[in-house]
Amino acid sequence: MRQIPYATQWIDREDIASVVKVLKSDYLTQGPAVELFEKTVAEYCGAKYAVAVSNGTAALHIACLAAGLGKGDEGITSPITFAASSNAMLYCGAKPVFADVDQKTICIDPKEVKKKISKKTKVVIPVHFAGHPCDMKEIKAIAEKHNLLVIEDAAHALGAKYYGTKIGSCKYSDMTVLSFHPVKHIATGEGGMVLTNNNKLYEKLKMLRTHGITRETSSSPGGWYYEMQMLGFNYRLTDIQSALGISQMKKLSCFLKRRREIAQKYNDAFSEVDGIKIFPEKKGMRSAWHLYVIGVADRRRVFIALREKGILVNVHYIPVYRQPYYRENGYKGTCPRAEIYYEQAISIPMYPKMTDKEVNYVIDAIIGIVNE
Ligand SMILES: *Cc1c(COP(=O)(O)O)cnc(C)c1O
């Protein structure tokens, strides 16, 4: 039986040719493809600057460091996210604080963010869950009032729009982080990026990506000279990966269109079915539909039955504070709306390469199982 994954990449001949071209060129890393990839994504999103890095987690890490997050500080994020959003704060020695989600969008609720602010809070990391934008105007207003930096985790949201503004433009934030893992909108194998409009943050991000080293020094004894001015990392993306990214970006609008079509088919099929909860777009929002999540009362049974039919459903996410590592480090509380969501959530297949036949197969299987 053929299996239908919950997500997968779409690589074509053009992508392969683009990578092969770099393999035959002078630069495998730190060359022109990286710069072109950064320029392409920055222009698409409407941001001034972009820094490509080895993965989305590294992007979150250097964004937190550039924001000045350190020991004794706190950062606020959503519990319904991949562990990377809060782990990045832990890497900096800071403490993640979880604020509950909005029950309709499963994005962080600005009112809950407000409640979690303390004297130690330095950053907020809203996660555009499943590709649906967070309430950025509210989050920006809160951040300005309390002098916090905003780092958007847009790993799910390349191509999403918030009241006509592309996510990634950083209109309502200081930095935006992307991931190019194969389940995300475009694939580079592993890859990530930080977008910003702030020149100071940009310069810092570039240094943090490469050991904290710069050649732009106030004085220089000669052409060999460089300085390590802070402790950075090797978080570079290769030209091989960037070539794939550049080629994938040409197809992004087609990918997004197909994701919307599939979401529409699912919405139409499930909106009238008792026992299936859906999470449609809010007015003014354009989701990038990274995930399509349904809520069912009998999640365990439905999950098992779908997997038995070769439909490789998944759950996004177990609330992060439930993870043993977090529990062992003192996370006792829960977020009630995140808990209710988690008990019912199943991510069903959603990827541009999915055929109508596969979509219909998934729809029929779900409705059949839920009605059993
Ligand atoms: C995928 C993802 C990341 C991390 O990206 P990687 O490229 O896998 O490191 C961060 N946050 C969210 C919400 C993600 O889905």
Side-chain angles (χ1 to χ4, degrees):
M1 181 182 53
R2 200 169 75 251
Q3 294 191 318
I4 305 177
Y6 88 89
T8 189
Q9 73 276 12
W10 190 350
I11 302 293
D12 66 12
R13 263 188 299 178
E14 271 173 40
D15 294 317
I16 294 165
S18 173
V19 173
V20 169
K21 204 170 145 202
V22 162
L23 287 172
K24 291 176 177 170
S25 77
D26 292 337
Y27 289 95
L28 297 186
T29 190
Q30 292 179 280
V34 178
E35 276 176 38
L36 180 57
F37 184 38
E38 289 172 338
K39 190 166 167 274
T40 306
V41 177
E43 273 175 12
Y44 174 83
C45 291
K48 257 193 197 154
Y49 308 108
V51 178
V53 290
S54 45
N55 56 66
T57 307
L60 278 162
H61 185 193
I62 62 169
C64 284
L65 287 171
L69 198 68
K71 207 163 184 257
D73 295 331
E74 290 179 359
I76 300 173
T77 193
S78 168
I80 302 295
T81 184
F82 184 54
S85 315
S86 51
N87 286 355
M89 301 181 199
L90 292 174
Y91 300 158
C92 302
K95 184 184 168 204
V97 174
F98 296 101
D100 209 351
V101 295
D102 176 284
Q103 59 197 352
K104 289 218 173 80
T105 62
I106 318 303
C107 287
I108 199 164
D109 180 345
K111 288 194 229 50
E112 299 297 322
V113 171
K114 234 187 256 174
K115 287 187 204 162
K116 300 284 168 136
I117 291 172
S118 78
K119 282 203 187 77
K120 296 175 182 170
T121 312
K122 203 161 208 173
V123 301
V124 186
I125 305 187
V127 181
H128 304 303
F129 179 72
H132 192 288
C134 296
D135 189 351
M136 291 311 298
K137 282 182 189 167
E138 271 302 308
I139 291 167
K140 184 172 193 260
I142 294 165
E144 276 175 356
K145 192 168 160 211
H146 296 271
N147 211 8
L148 315 175
L149 269 80
V150 179
I151 302 168
E152 296 172 72
D153 183 338
H156 296 187
L158 179 58
K161 278 186 190 164
Y162 176 80
Y163 295 117
T165 304
K166 278 225 187 79
I167 294 295
S169 71
C170 301
K171 185 172 174 186
Y172 303 97
S173 67
D174 298 283
M175 289 171 271
T176 301
V177 166
L178 298 171
S179 164
F180 311 122
H181 182 279
V183 298
K184 309 285 164 67
H185 293 83
I186 62 161
T188 63
E190 296 282 352
M193 206 174 276
V194 189
L195 299 162
T196 184
N197 294 323
N198 180 315
N199 184 261
K200 277 209 182 96
L201 291 172
Y202 174 59
E203 294 299 332
K204 238 173 156 181
L205 291 164
K206 276 197 297 184
M207 284 177 70
L208 287 164
R209 168 176 66 182
T210 313
H211 304 281
I213 286 173
T214 181
R215 287 185 178 275
E216 288 157 34
T217 55
S218 50
S219 65
S220 166
W224 66 87
Y225 191 70
Y226 61 85
E227 280 179 4
M228 181 191 141
Q229 296 180 346
M230 58 178 86
L231 186 61
F233 304 86
N234 177 358
Y235 278 168
R236 292 187 296 262
L237 191 72
T238 65
D239 280 57
I240 305 165
Q241 293 165 306
S242 299
L244 183 53
I246 294 162
S247 173
Q248 286 264 293
M249 278 302 284
K250 293 181 186 153
K251 284 162 275 221
L252 177 58
S253 64
C254 289
F255 290 168
L256 287 163
K257 189 164 159 266
R258 181 61 185 153
R259 284 178 183 275
R260 290 193 76 72
E261 280 172 13
I262 296 167
Q264 191 59 52
K265 282 179 195 291
Y266 283 153
N267 286 342
D268 292 344
F270 300 139
S271 59
E272 303 294 317
V273 180
D274 282 341
I276 300 179
K277 188 153 128 196
I278 59 170
F279 300 89
E281 281 167 329
K282 269 174 78 173
K283 211 165 158 240
M285 301 298 123
R286 206 172 164 85
S287 175
W289 292 110
H290 163 56
L291 300 172
Y292 192 96
V293 179
I294 58 168
V296 292
D298 199 0
R299 193 261 306 273
R300 198 183 140 75
R301 181 184 68 84
V302 176
F303 183 93
I304 293 169
L306 285 167
R307 284 253 172 136
E308 275 170 0
K309 281 186 177 291
I311 300 170
L312 302 182
V313 288
N314 227 313
V315 173
H316 299 92
Y317 295 91
I318 303 165
V320 177
Y321 53 71
R322 277 186 172 227
Q323 295 299 340
Y325 180 83
Y326 279 81
R327 287 297 189 217
E328 282 158 21
N329 282 282
Y331 286 79
K332 294 192 196 81
T334 58
C335 296
R337 281 178 242 147
E339 290 291 318
I340 292 168
Y341 162 81
Y342 165 62
E343 288 303 323
Q344 305 185 347
I346 300 184
S347 304
I348 67 174
M350 167 57 89
Y351 51 92
K353 212 178 176 178
M354 212 181 166
T355 64
D356 282 348
K357 209 174 145 197
E358 287 167 330
V359 174
N360 292 332
Y361 176 70
V362 170
I363 289 171
D364 291 344
I366 290 170
I367 292 176
I369 290 163
V370 168
N371 285 334
E372 247 170 47

CSV table of all heavy atoms in Angstrom, one decimal, residues 159-200:
chain,number,residue,atom,x,y,z
A,159,GLY,N,5.5,33.1,3.0
A,159,GLY,CA,4.4,33.3,2.1
A,159,GLY,C,3.1,33.7,2.7
A,159,GLY,O,2.1,34.1,2.0
A,160,ALA,N,3.0,33.7,4.1
A,160,ALA,CA,1.8,34.1,4.7
A,160,ALA,C,1.7,35.6,4.7
A,160,ALA,O,2.7,36.3,4.6
A,160,ALA,CB,1.8,33.6,6.2
A,161,LYS,N,0.4,36.1,4.9
A,161,LYS,CA,0.2,37.5,4.9
A,161,LYS,C,-0.6,37.9,6.1
A,161,LYS,O,-1.6,37.3,6.4
A,161,LYS,CB,-0.5,38.0,3.6
A,161,LYS,CG,0.5,38.2,2.4
A,161,LYS,CD,-0.3,38.8,1.3
A,161,LYS,CE,0.6,38.8,0.0
A,161,LYS,NZ,-0.3,39.0,-1.2
A,162,TYR,N,-0.2,39.1,6.7
A,162,TYR,CA,-1.0,39.6,7.8
A,162,TYR,C,-1.5,41.0,7.3
A,162,TYR,O,-0.7,41.9,7.1
A,162,TYR,CB,0.0,39.8,9.0
A,162,TYR,CG,-0.6,40.5,10.2
A,162,TYR,CD1,-1.3,39.8,11.1
A,162,TYR,CD2,-0.3,41.8,10.4
A,162,TYR,CE1,-1.8,40.4,12.2
A,162,TYR,CE2,-0.8,42.4,11.6
A,162,TYR,CZ,-1.6,41.7,12.5
A,162,TYR,OH,-2.1,42.3,13.6
A,163,TYR,N,-2.8,41.1,7.2
A,163,TYR,CA,-3.4,42.3,6.6
A,163,TYR,C,-2.7,42.8,5.4
A,163,TYR,O,-2.3,44.0,5.3
A,163,TYR,CB,-3.6,43.4,7.7
A,163,TYR,CG,-4.5,43.0,8.8
A,163,TYR,CD1,-4.0,42.9,10.1
A,163,TYR,CD2,-5.9,42.8,8.5
A,163,TYR,CE1,-4.9,42.6,11.1
A,163,TYR,CE2,-6.7,42.5,9.6
A,163,TYR,CZ,-6.2,42.4,10.9
A,163,TYR,OH,-7.1,42.0,11.9
A,164,GLY,N,-2.4,41.9,4.4
A,164,GLY,CA,-1.7,42.3,3.2
A,164,GLY,C,-0.2,42.5,3.3
A,164,GLY,O,0.4,42.7,2.3
A,165,THR,N,0.4,42.4,4.5
A,165,THR,CA,1.8,42.5,4.6
A,165,THR,C,2.4,41.1,4.7
A,165,THR,O,2.0,40.3,5.6
A,165,THR,CB,2.2,43.3,5.9
A,165,THR,OG1,1.5,44.6,5.8
A,165,THR,CG2,3.7,43.5,6.0
A,166,LYS,N,3.4,40.8,4.0
A,166,LYS,CA,4.1,39.5,4.0
A,166,LYS,C,4.7,39.3,5.4
A,166,LYS,O,5.4,40.2,5.9
A,166,LYS,CB,5.1,39.3,2.9
A,166,LYS,CG,4.5,39.0,1.6
A,166,LYS,CD,5.3,37.8,0.9
A,166,LYS,CE,4.8,37.6,-0.5
A,166,LYS,NZ,5.3,38.6,-1.4
A,167,ILE,N,4.5,38.1,5.9
A,167,ILE,CA,5.3,37.7,7.1
A,167,ILE,C,6.8,37.6,6.6
A,167,ILE,O,7.1,37.1,5.5
A,167,ILE,CB,4.8,36.3,7.6
A,167,ILE,CG1,3.4,36.4,8.1
A,167,ILE,CG2,5.8,35.7,8.6
A,167,ILE,CD1,3.2,37.2,9.3
A,168,GLY,N,7.7,38.1,7.4
A,168,GLY,CA,9.1,38.2,7.0
A,168,GLY,C,9.5,39.6,6.7
A,168,GLY,O,10.7,40.0,6.6
A,169,SER,N,8.5,40.5,6.5
A,169,SER,CA,8.8,41.9,6.2
A,169,SER,C,9.4,42.6,7.5
A,169,SER,O,9.9,43.7,7.4
A,169,SER,CB,7.6,42.7,5.7
A,169,SER,OG,6.7,42.9,6.8
A,170,CYS,N,9.1,42.0,8.6
A,170,CYS,CA,9.5,42.6,9.9
A,170,CYS,C,8.8,43.9,10.2
A,170,CYS,O,9.4,44.8,10.9
A,170,CYS,CB,11.0,42.7,10.1
A,170,CYS,SG,11.9,41.1,9.9
A,171,LYS,N,7.7,44.1,9.6
A,171,LYS,CA,6.9,45.4,9.9
A,171,LYS,C,6.5,45.5,11.4
A,171,LYS,O,6.4,46.6,11.9
A,171,LYS,CB,5.7,45.4,9.0
A,171,LYS,CG,4.9,46.7,9.1
A,171,LYS,CD,3.8,46.8,8.0
A,171,LYS,CE,3.0,48.1,8.3
A,171,LYS,NZ,1.8,48.1,7.4
A,172,TYR,N,6.3,44.3,12.0
A,172,TYR,CA,5.8,44.3,13.4
A,172,TYR,C,6.8,43.6,14.3
A,172,TYR,O,6.4,43.2,15.4
A,172,TYR,CB,4.4,43.6,13.4
A,172,TYR,CG,3.4,44.2,12.6
A,172,TYR,CD1,3.1,43.7,11.3
A,172,TYR,CD2,2.7,45.4,13.0
A,172,TYR,CE1,2.2,44.3,10.5
A,172,TYR,CE2,1.7,46.0,12.1
A,172,TYR,CZ,1.5,45.4,10.9
A,172,TYR,OH,0.6,46.0,10.1
A,173,SER,N,8.0,43.5,13.9
A,173,SER,CA,9.0,42.8,14.7
A,173,SER,C,10.4,43.3,14.4
A,173,SER,O,10.6,44.1,13.5
A,173,SER,CB,8.9,41.3,14.4
A,173,SER,OG,9.4,41.1,13.0
A,174,ASP,N,11.3,42.8,15.2
A,174,ASP,CA,12.7,43.2,15.0
A,174,ASP,C,13.5,42.2,14.1
A,174,ASP,O,14.3,42.6,13.4
A,174,ASP,CB,13.4,43.2,16.4
A,174,ASP,CG,12.8,44.2,17.3
A,174,ASP,OD1,13.1,45.4,17.1
A,174,ASP,OD2,12.0,43.9,18.2
A,175,MET,N,13.1,40.9,14.2
A,175,MET,CA,13.7,39.9,13.4
A,175,MET,C,12.6,38.8,13.1
A,175,MET,O,11.7,38.6,13.9
A,175,MET,CB,14.9,39.2,14.1
A,175,MET,CG,16.1,40.1,14.2
A,175,MET,SD,17.4,39.3,15.3
A,175,MET,CE,16.9,40.0,16.9
A,176,THR,N,12.8,38.1,11.9
A,176,THR,CA,11.9,37.0,11.6
A,176,THR,C,12.8,35.8,11.2
A,176,THR,O,13.8,36.0,10.5
A,176,THR,CB,11.0,37.3,10.4
A,176,THR,OG1,10.2,38.4,10.8
A,176,THR,CG2,10.1,36.2,10.1
A,177,VAL,N,12.4,34.6,11.7
A,177,VAL,CA,13.2,33.4,11.5
A,177,VAL,C,12.5,32.5,10.6
A,177,VAL,O,11.3,32.2,10.8
A,177,VAL,CB,13.5,32.8,12.9
A,177,VAL,CG1,14.1,31.4,12.7
A,177,VAL,CG2,14.5,33.7,13.6
A,178,LEU,N,13.2,31.9,9.6
A,178,LEU,CA,12.7,30.9,8.7
A,178,LEU,C,13.4,29.6,8.8
A,178,LEU,O,14.6,29.6,9.2
A,178,LEU,CB,12.8,31.4,7.2
A,178,LEU,CG,12.0,32.7,6.9
A,178,LEU,CD1,12.4,33.2,5.5
A,178,LEU,CD2,10.5,32.5,7.0
A,179,SER,N,12.8,28.5,8.4
A,179,SER,CA,13.4,27.2,8.3
A,179,SER,C,13.2,26.6,6.9
A,179,SER,O,12.1,26.8,6.3
A,179,SER,CB,12.9,26.2,9.3
A,179,SER,OG,13.2,24.9,9.0
A,180,PHE,N,14.2,26.0,6.3
A,180,PHE,CA,14.1,25.3,5.0
A,180,PHE,C,14.2,23.8,5.1
A,180,PHE,O,14.8,23.2,4.2
A,180,PHE,CB,15.1,25.9,4.0
A,180,PHE,CG,15.1,27.4,4.1
A,180,PHE,CD1,16.3,28.2,4.3
A,180,PHE,CD2,13.9,28.2,3.8
A,180,PHE,CE1,16.3,29.6,4.4
A,180,PHE,CE2,13.9,29.5,3.8
A,180,PHE,CZ,15.1,30.2,4.1
A,181,HIS,N,13.8,23.3,6.2
A,181,HIS,CA,13.7,21.8,6.4
A,181,HIS,C,12.7,21.3,5.3
A,181,HIS,O,11.8,22.0,5.0
A,181,HIS,CB,13.2,21.5,7.8
A,181,HIS,CG,13.1,20.0,8.1
A,181,HIS,ND1,12.1,19.3,7.7
A,181,HIS,CD2,14.0,19.2,8.8
A,181,HIS,CE1,12.3,18.0,8.1
A,181,HIS,NE2,13.4,18.0,8.7
A,182,PRO,N,12.9,20.1,4.8
A,182,PRO,CA,12.1,19.6,3.7
A,182,PRO,C,10.6,19.6,4.0
A,182,PRO,O,9.8,19.6,3.0
A,182,PRO,CB,12.6,18.1,3.6
A,182,PRO,CG,14.0,18.2,4.0
A,182,PRO,CD,14.1,19.2,5.1
A,183,VAL,N,10.1,19.6,5.2
A,183,VAL,CA,8.7,19.6,5.4
A,183,VAL,C,8.1,21.0,5.3
A,183,VAL,O,6.9,21.2,5.2
A,183,VAL,CB,8.2,19.0,6.8
A,183,VAL,CG1,8.6,17.6,6.9
A,183,VAL,CG2,8.8,19.8,8.0
A,184,LYS,N,9.0,22.0,5.3
A,184,LYS,CA,8.6,23.4,5.3
A,184,LYS,C,8.3,23.9,3.8
A,184,LYS,O,8.4,23.1,2.9
A,184,LYS,CB,9.6,24.3,6.0
A,184,LYS,CG,10.0,23.8,7.4
A,184,LYS,CD,9.0,24.1,8.4
A,184,LYS,CE,9.1,23.3,9.7
A,184,LYS,NZ,10.3,23.7,10.5
A,185,HIS,N,8.1,25.2,3.6
A,185,HIS,CA,7.6,25.6,2.3
A,185,HIS,C,8.6,25.5,1.2
A,185,HIS,O,8.2,25.1,0.1
A,185,HIS,CB,7.1,27.1,2.4
A,185,HIS,CG,5.9,27.2,3.2
A,185,HIS,ND1,6.0,27.3,4.6
A,185,HIS,CD2,4.6,27.1,2.9
A,185,HIS,CE1,4.7,27.4,5.1
A,185,HIS,NE2,3.9,27.3,4.1
A,186,ILE,N,9.9,25.8,1.4
A,186,ILE,CA,10.9,25.4,0.5
A,186,ILE,C,12.0,24.7,1.2
A,186,ILE,O,12.2,24.8,2.4
A,186,ILE,CB,11.5,26.7,-0.2
A,186,ILE,CG1,12.2,27.6,0.8
A,186,ILE,CG2,10.5,27.4,-1.0
A,186,ILE,CD1,13.2,28.6,0.2
A,187,ALA,N,12.7,23.8,0.5
A,187,ALA,CA,13.6,22.9,1.1
A,187,ALA,C,15.0,23.2,0.6
A,187,ALA,O,15.3,23.5,-0.6
A,187,ALA,CB,13.3,21.4,0.7
A,188,THR,N,16.0,23.2,1.6
A,188,THR,CA,17.4,23.2,1.2
A,188,THR,C,18.1,22.0,1.9
A,188,THR,O,19.3,22.0,2.0
A,188,THR,CB,18.1,24.5,1.7
A,188,THR,OG1,18.0,24.6,3.1
A,188,THR,CG2,17.4,25.7,1.1
A,189,GLY,N,17.4,21.0,2.3
A,189,GLY,CA,17.9,19.9,3.1
A,189,GLY,C,17.8,20.3,4.6
A,189,GLY,O,16.9,20.0,5.3
A,190,GLU,N,18.9,21.0,5.0
A,190,GLU,CA,18.8,21.8,6.3
A,190,GLU,C,19.1,23.2,5.9
A,190,GLU,O,19.8,23.5,4.9
A,190,GLU,CB,19.9,21.3,7.3
A,190,GLU,CG,19.8,19.9,7.8
A,190,GLU,CD,18.7,19.8,8.9
A,190,GLU,OE1,18.2,20.8,9.3
A,190,GLU,OE2,18.4,18.6,9.2
A,191,GLY,N,18.5,24.1,6.6
A,191,GLY,CA,18.7,25.5,6.3
A,191,GLY,C,17.8,26.5,7.0
A,191,GLY,O,16.7,26.0,7.5
A,192,GLY,N,18.2,27.7,7.2
A,192,GLY,CA,17.4,28.7,7.9
A,192,GLY,C,17.9,30.1,7.6
A,192,GLY,O,18.9,30.3,6.9
A,193,MET,N,17.1,31.1,8.0
A,193,MET,CA,17.5,32.4,7.7
A,193,MET,C,16.9,33.4,8.8
A,193,MET,O,15.8,33.1,9.4
A,193,MET,CB,16.9,32.8,6.3
A,193,MET,CG,17.7,33.9,5.7
A,193,MET,SD,17.1,34.2,4.0
A,193,MET,CE,18.0,33.0,3.0
A,194,VAL,N,17.6,34.5,9.0
A,194,VAL,CA,17.1,35.5,9.9
A,194,VAL,C,16.9,36.8,9.0
A,194,VAL,O,17.8,37.1,8.3
A,194,VAL,CB,18.0,35.9,11.0
A,194,VAL,CG1,17.3,36.9,12.0
A,194,VAL,CG2,18.5,34.7,11.8
A,195,LEU,N,15.7,37.4,9.1
A,195,LEU,CA,15.4,38.6,8.3
A,195,LEU,C,15.3,39.7,9.3
A,195,LEU,O,14.8,39.5,10.4
A,195,LEU,CB,14.1,38.4,7.6
A,195,LEU,CG,14.0,37.3,6.6
A,195,LEU,CD1,12.5,37.0,6.2
A,195,LEU,CD2,14.7,37.7,5.3
A,196,THR,N,15.7,40.9,8.9
A,196,THR,CA,15.6,42.1,9.7
A,196,THR,C,15.7,43.4,8.9
A,196,THR,O,16.2,43.3,7.8
A,196,THR,CB,16.7,42.1,10.8
A,196,THR,OG1,16.5,43.2,11.7
A,196,THR,CG2,18.1,42.2,10.3
A,197,ASN,N,15.2,44.5,9.4
A,197,ASN,CA,15.4,45.8,8.8
A,197,ASN,C,16.4,46.6,9.6
A,197,ASN,O,16.6,47.8,9.2
A,197,ASN,CB,14.0,46.5,8.8
A,197,ASN,CG,13.0,45.8,7.8
A,197,ASN,OD1,13.4,45.3,6.8
A,197,ASN,ND2,11.8,45.8,8.2
A,198,ASN,N,16.9,46.1,10.6
A,198,ASN,CA,17.8,46.8,11.5
A,198,ASN,C,19.3,46.5,11.2
A,198,ASN,O,19.7,45.4,11.3
A,198,ASN,CB,17.5,46.4,13.0
A,198,ASN,CG,18.3,47.1,14.0
A,198,ASN,OD1,19.5,47.3,13.8
A,198,ASN,ND2,17.7,47.6,15.0
A,199,ASN,N,20.0,47.5,10.8
A,199,ASN,CA,21.4,47.4,10.4
A,199,ASN,C,22.3,46.8,11.5
A,199,ASN,O,23.2,46.0,11.2
A,199,ASN,CB,21.9,48.7,9.8
A,199,ASN,CG,23.3,48.5,9.2
A,199,ASN,OD1,24.3,48.8,9.9
A,199,ASN,ND2,23.4,47.9,8.1
A,200,LYS,N,22.1,47.3,12.7
A,200,LYS,CA,22.9,46.9,13.8
A,200,LYS,C,22.7,45.4,14.1
A,200,LYS,O,23.7,44.6,14.3
A,200,LYS,CB,22.5,47.6,15.1
A,200,LYS,CG,23.2,49.0,15.2
A,200,LYS,CD,23.4,49.4,16.7
A,200,LYS,CE,24.1,50.7,16.8
A,200,LYS,NZ,23.1,51.8,17.0
